Structures are given as structure tokens and as C-alpha cells.
């Protein structure tokens, strides 16, 4: 029983961190579109200083990769991690591990 619980720690950690990354990426995508569409109503949560400013990054050409916002790539990555972790969990469950 202890070995079974111990085998769930790493996948649970991946799920928790992936969900945090997914939420962060969704927030950054919202910031991106608010800045690009001009609907930003004030400073975003991640506008800390003149140097650390998500809105400045969202307005720059560095916020895109292959014409797609970086936040979308982050969302896809975290969904891929969640999917892979879920598939691994199902495979282990079907094998009785």
C-alpha cells in the first residue's frame, strides 16, 4: 500500500504544477488580448515595475512565436502534460500497479 501511494506522488505533483501553469498561461493570454485590443482597464497582476511588466511584453513582438501568442503554446504544453499524466495513470491502473 505504501509503495502504491509513493508511486502517486510524482504524477500528483505534475498535475498540480500543470494546473498552476495552465491557470498562469490562461491569465497571460487574457493580458495579451487586453493589451492588443486596447481593453486593458488597469495594471495587470504581473505589472510589478518598469522592468517586470507583462503588459510591455504582450505589446512587443516577443510575445508571439510563429504568429501565435506564447501563452497559447504554454496552454498546449500544460494540457499535453495533463493528458500524458492521465494516460500514464490509466495505464498503471489497468496493469494493477
Amino acid at each position: 500500500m505504501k509503495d502504491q501511494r509513493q508511486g502517486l506522488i510524482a504524477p500528483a505533483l505534475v498535475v498540480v504544477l500543470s494546473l498552476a501553469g495552465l491557470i498562469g498561461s490562461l491569465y497571460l493570454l487574457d493580458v495579451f488580448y487586453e493589451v492588443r485590443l486596447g481593453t486593458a482597464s488597469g495594471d495587470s497582476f504581473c505589472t510589478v515595475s518598469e522592468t517586470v511588466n507583462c503588459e510591455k511584453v504582450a505589446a512587443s513582438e516577443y510575445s508571439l512565436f510563429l504568429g501565435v501568442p506564447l501563452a497559447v503554446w504554454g496552454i498546449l504544453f500544460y494540457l499535453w502534460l495533463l493528458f500524458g499524466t492521465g494516460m500514464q495513470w490509466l495505464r498503471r491502473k489497468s496493469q494493477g500497479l
Side-chain angles (χ1 to χ4, degrees), residues 10-24 77-78 81-82:
L13 186 60
V14 170
V15 168
V16 168
L17 293 175
S18 295
L19 288 174
L22 183 61
I23 290 167
F77 173 73
Y78 291 117
L81 276 178
L82 287 169

Side-chain angles (χ1 to χ4, degrees), residues 42-88:
D43 288 343
S44 68
F45 172 73
C46 55
T47 300
V48 178
S49 67
E50 191 67 28
T51 306
V52 180
N53 190 330
C54 294
E55 292 176 3
K56 280 188 173 183
V57 174
S60 76
E61 71 272 7
Y62 297 111
S63 64
L64 297 169
F65 178 69
L66 300 176
V68 178
L70 286 176
V72 172
W73 294 107
I75 290 167
L76 293 173
F77 173 73
Y78 291 117
L79 288 174
W80 175 75
L81 276 178
L82 287 169
F83 176 76
T85 303
M87 293 303 292
Q88 180 70 14

Side-chain angles (χ1 to χ4, degrees), residues 15-33:
V15 168
V16 168
L17 293 175
S18 295
L19 288 174
L22 183 61
I23 290 167
S25 294
L26 288 168
Y27 176 75
L28 290 173
L29 186 62
D30 181 54
V31 170
F32 175 84
Y33 281 114

